[in-house]
Amino acid sequence: MSETTAVTDAAGAAPDRGIRSPRRGGRGGRGRRALARWGWGLAGILAVVLIWEAYKLLGPADGVVLGTTRVLPRTTDLAMPHVWEMIGRLGEPVTRSPTAQPLWAVIALSALTTLGIAAVGWLVGVVVGIGLALVMQRWRLAEWGLLPWIIISQTVPLIAFAPVVKSWGSRVEIGSFEWQDWMSVALIASYLAFFPIAIGALKGLQSPDRIHEELMQTYAAGYWTTLVKLRFPASVPYLLPALRLGAANAVIGAVVAEVSTGLQGGIGRILIQFAGQASGDPAKAWAPIFGAIVLGLVAAGSIALLGVILKNYRRTEEAA
């Protein structure tokens, strides 16, 4: 009896250890993966810095020229300042005026302005993109008719499209409402943002297996119940990457639209302004470029908050 009890206890103890161990390993594995992602990200930044400085040290002063085409830039201080010079310039005043703000503060304020406009454009892009995906998923004829036009819409040159939007918007007057210039920029940002969201949402809404759809039918679930209980949860692994890409596209659209429409106060405008001063202050011209890069990372990274809320539906994405 004692031997049987011992065997039973041993057999029973093993599954307990087997269950607990993956759970601890799962948490530790996620932590290690997170650290690995940060480590590779920092390693990538360091690699870019090293390549920049190595090329500046070893590359020809006039750049690499093949035939009559320059394929790599000049290595002069005017064209390629040292990385530490560009970083150090951020802490200096933007101008020589005694009341001038630090350069990083001017970049941060401009980036926040662009971020707010891009956020409005992203929200509009989310509404339009998911709305189009719902229509295309519901009616196959709508997918056949709309999808080609959605794809073709992204071939329109944005630089040529932005002034047209501003011109049309300036004529919009509804009662006391007047179209503002920043609304044109937000509209252009939404124009770039809606495309990946529409495609990702459509793919996600169409992702449930046939057997799951038939199960909902056996429960006599209607279209809206199936949409809320099955299709939307199944679309999360597809929709989150699309939302990240849409956020990055919204920032790109906002920056380009600011340049094309001449909107003051955003990162796009000071990018052009500082580029014109590059001959006298080359390190300063790179500050808005850094600001635009950080802005895109913040916009795309903010979607991670949605991922935390919807983590129970992200198994497919995590596995990928």
Side-chain angles (χ1 to χ4, degrees):
M1 179 67 69
S2 60
E3 292 180 359
T4 305
T5 304
V7 171
T8 305
D9 291 341
D16 289 342
R17 288 193 295 270
I19 292 173
R20 293 191 189 99
S21 178
R23 192 177 298 167
R24 290 194 300 268
R27 294 195 189 109
R30 284 193 293 270
R32 286 192 294 270
R33 285 195 297 271
L35 290 175
R37 284 194 293 266
W38 281 100
W40 281 111
L42 293 175
I45 295 174
L46 181 60
V48 171
V49 172
L50 292 177
I51 292 172
W52 179 280
E53 291 297 331
Y55 176 70
K56 180 173 176 60
L57 177 64
L58 303 174
D62 198 40
V64 177
V65 180
L66 295 179
T68 59
T69 304
R70 181 178 289 106
V71 295
L72 290 176
R74 296 183 174 93
T75 59
T76 61
D77 291 338
L78 180 62
M80 290 184 63
H82 288 287
V83 173
W84 54 85
E85 292 177 353
M86 294 185 283
I87 295 175
R89 183 65 180 86
L90 292 171
E92 300 175 3
V94 65
T95 64
R96 296 180 180 179
S97 173
T99 59
Q101 293 180 312
L103 180 58
W104 68 265
V106 174
I107 298 298
L109 290 175
S110 300
L112 287 175
T113 299
T114 302
L115 181 62
I117 297 173
V120 174
W122 179 79
L123 289 174
V124 174
V126 168
V127 173
V128 174
I130 294 180
L132 289 172
L134 287 171
V135 172
M136 290 187 290
Q137 185 277 320
R138 185 71 176 88
W139 295 285
R140 182 58 62 87
L141 183 62
E143 180 182 356
W144 294 341
L146 289 176
L147 191 57
W149 290 104
I150 292 174
I151 296 173
I152 291 173
S153 70
Q154 301 303 298
T155 63
V156 178
L158 194 61
I159 296 179
F161 181 61
V164 175
V165 173
K166 180 181 179 182
S167 177
W168 288 349
S170 62
R171 302 172 187 174
V172 175
E173 291 186 12
I174 304 174
S176 59
F177 172 79
E178 293 185 4
W179 188 268
Q180 304 296 321
D181 289 342
W182 70 266
M183 296 179 184
S184 299
V185 176
L187 182 62
I188 295 168
S190 68
Y191 176 77
L192 287 186
F194 92 94
F195 174 73
I197 296 173
I199 301 301
L202 176 62
K203 180 66 176 177
L205 292 172
Q206 294 176 339
S207 64
D209 295 333
R210 181 64 182 173
I211 190 173
H212 296 152
E213 297 177 7
E214 292 174 351
L215 179 62
M216 297 299 290
Q217 292 174 3
T218 61
Y219 291 150
Y223 170 76
W224 291 107
T225 302
T226 303
L227 181 66
V228 173
K229 298 293 185 179
L230 177 62
R231 295 193 182 279
F232 269 135
S235 69
V236 170
Y238 300 88
L239 189 57
L240 285 176
L243 291 175
R244 292 193 198 103
L245 185 57
N249 282 1
V251 171
I252 294 173
V255 172
V256 174
E258 287 173 351
V259 173
S260 300
T261 62
L263 181 69
Q264 300 291 332
I267 197 81
R269 191 59 183 174
I270 66 171
L271 194 151
I272 297 299
Q273 179 183 345
F274 289 178
Q277 304 171 3
S279 58
D281 194 352
K284 179 181 178 181
W286 287 90
I289 297 176
F290 292 155
I293 292 172
V294 173
L295 186 59
L297 293 175
V298 169
S302 62
I303 309 302
L305 297 176
L306 288 176
V308 173
I309 298 173
L310 302 173
K311 61 181 179 180
N312 292 334
Y313 305 103
R314 295 181 59 193
R315 292 173 186 153
T316 302
E317 186 191 32
E318 288 179 354

